[in-house]
Amino acid sequence: MIKICNKNNWISRLCEFSDNSMDIRLASGPYLPILSAFAIKLYLFGYPGPRKTSAGLRQVRSIMPIRPDRPLSLYPGFAGLVASLLFLILSCGETREISGDVVFRNINIIDLASGEVLPARNVLLEGDRIAFIDYPEQGNSVTLKAAKSIDATGQYLIPGLWDMHAHPDDPEVWRLQPAEDARNTLLPLFVVNGVTGIRDMGGDIDLVKRWRAAYVQGDLLAPVIYAGGPLLDGPNPMWDGSVGISGPEGVKPVVDSLIALGVDFLKVYSLLPRDTYMDLSAYANEIGFPFAGHVPYTVLPSEAARTGMKSQEHLLEILRECSDPPPKALLDSLDALADPIGRSNGLNTFRLSNYNEGRADSLFTLFRELGTWHCPTLSMWKKNAWYESELEKDRLLLAYLPPYLQAYWTPEVNDHLQHRDRADYIQTKQHLYQRYLHMVGRMQELGVPLLAGTDMGANPLCHPGEGVHNELEALVEAGLTPLEALRTATLNPARFLEIEADYGSVEAGKKADLVILEGNPLESIGQTRNIAYVIRGGQLLDATRLEAIRREIRERNQNEP
């Protein structure tokens, strides 16, 4: 039996097989005649063997071959075949009408998988999904109708960006007791800058739930949020709001309670004792629950990778494993120093001077083989190392921050901005950044999967939304192509979070979380800032609306005491 199926896009399924029948399904479109000929060939001459389907391998029944001395009319099903052919011919001229909410006409789609620009497509949105993508140059007989039609000639469509390391409710600033309303103003800033999804790497999980609910109710413009809840640290945690695990015996009850609260993953932190970390990783692997975060001080990055840490953040502890071991005499001399900054500078200077490319390549190869993701947050390291000059560049952006965060991003208050009077300390930070650029470039060359993240929150000048564009530029500075950098904020997050069915690329059926740019980001990564429209959950935000949202936030901050 041959069936003709009107589908939105090419072939939803070319052939479906059951134990005793063959059902050929064809999509309408420019390839219909070719596919029809292929279907007829299958129908008349049979299929040479079994085909693997979602149900496994099924044997297709044999079909009688054609004999030259036998009229076609004597073959079983010949009349049905003629009728099907007639329907095929008639359907080729059929014009379909598809309706939706918004259609973008003649827009260029950035295909992140292939790296190609797909020119002059028509994209129809309905609700919170991409309903249809038309290909005018291939002669589709489809009419797209929508309440709003936008000529997007010369513009470029990409999936919404992701910030894979954000702290919109950073526990580090809880000491300032920020009001919830003030924290809420950070969420729209992601979206207006084209960031439609974030991975919240530490904060109040109940607040995240309220944010999600407020978005659904239409009370708050917010990105999609995947959240880890509180940091899992040692018995004396580094920051407020963390869960201090006293020892291995405390792992299971803590993990079980957080999963019951609804966290999406576990965030491990720097002060976890080695035995506690090992038990935590073993238990998380046993129950199949992801964990990510800081490589603890007592664990090597290679060990963290082997124990299943899904992503490692900030390149922490990697320089230690990529450098030659410091001699005991140096360690003894550093231990004798009363100045902690002097000790830190001395050890980092040795490691920078004794960086071993062979060690680094072995470690990065291990990351690739084990599928260990890395979120280097290069832009955070840069903002810290060059704070004074970066502050001048970002001064106008400060008005979009709630007053409590403006206050925290100053050397008088911020823990990350201490010792700015120490030139040797600042110089070491800048040298570390240069080494991190080299490391990330080499990771990309060796196939280590990378994620774009900013460490937005307490870290100074890591702005919500804006910071992702800084990170993409830093990744290009590290040696990634614009396409490779763009993948770290689109395709890679979807793969990491295992949500490719809905996010990560521009395809029919996926979520309408999208960004339309005025220029081609494959030519210049800076074009990701040049935003014409943001679509969040199907809601269209044009340049006028985006500016109005910014203005509302700026005015609110100015009026807050």
Side-chain angles (χ1 to χ4, degrees), residues 225-395:
I225 306 174
Y226 279 73
L231 309 177
L232 302 183
D233 214 348
N236 299 301
M238 190 177 297
W239 305 114
D240 294 338
S242 301
V243 175
I245 305 178
S246 57
E249 69 283 353
V251 165
K252 187 177 184 300
V254 166
V255 170
D256 290 347
S257 65
L258 289 178
I259 293 175
L261 285 174
V263 301
D264 298 303
F265 59 93
L266 305 172
K267 168 71 180 290
V268 300
Y269 214 65
S270 302
L271 297 181
L272 270 179
R274 181 180 178 85
D275 57 349
T276 304
Y277 168 82
M278 291 299 177
D279 274 45
L280 188 151
S281 63
Y283 183 57
N285 289 325
E286 176 187 331
I287 63 175
F289 201 77
F291 64 101
H294 290 201
V295 175
Y297 296 143
T298 56
V299 177
L300 291 173
S302 59
E303 294 175 312
R306 290 190 177 99
T307 53
M309 185 182 283
K310 190 168 185 179
S311 74
Q312 298 183 17
E313 312 298 309
H314 315 304
L315 307 173
L316 295 177
E317 305 305 311
I318 292 182
L319 184 61
R320 170 165 60 120
E321 194 165 0
C322 290
S323 300
D324 295 331
K328 184 177 183 303
L330 174 63
L331 293 176
D332 290 343
S333 65
L334 293 176
D335 286 342
L337 292 177
D339 176 18
I341 298 301
R343 290 197 300 271
S344 173
N345 283 343
L347 188 56
N348 280 323
T349 297
F350 175 85
R351 287 173 174 167
L352 288 166
S353 301
N354 291 272
Y355 184 82
N356 187 311
E357 296 286 358
R359 285 177 177 269
D361 282 1
S362 295
L363 180 60
F364 300 162
T365 300
L366 177 70
F367 292 151
R368 182 195 67 217
E369 292 173 347
L370 295 177
T372 304
W373 294 77
H374 277 267
C375 188
T377 62
L378 287 171
S379 55
M380 178 273 290
W381 293 114
K382 184 174 185 178
K383 295 292 186 181
N384 271 271
W386 282 275
Y387 170 74
E388 288 77 13
S389 58
E390 291 293 315
L391 176 61
E392 292 307 310
K393 288 166 50 179
D394 290 359
R395 195 166 292 281

Side-chain angles (χ1 to χ4, degrees), residues 163-229:
D163 186 340
M164 292 297 284
H165 195 118
H167 294 277
D169 176 39
D170 199 328
E172 186 178 334
V173 302
W174 286 2
R175 70 184 81 165
L176 300 184
Q177 300 180 323
E180 186 168 325
D181 285 349
R183 286 178 281 177
N184 293 350
T185 63
L186 297 172
L187 277 300
L189 290 171
F190 287 103
V191 178
V192 299
N193 284 286
V195 179
T196 59
I198 65 172
R199 184 173 57 143
D200 186 318
M201 293 298 287
D204 183 352
I205 189 64
D206 290 327
L207 178 57
V208 171
K209 292 176 182 178
R210 292 196 293 275
W211 283 338
R212 290 169 175 163
Y215 170 76
V216 171
Q217 294 162 5
D219 297 329
L220 178 66
L221 180 62
V224 178
I225 306 174
Y226 279 73

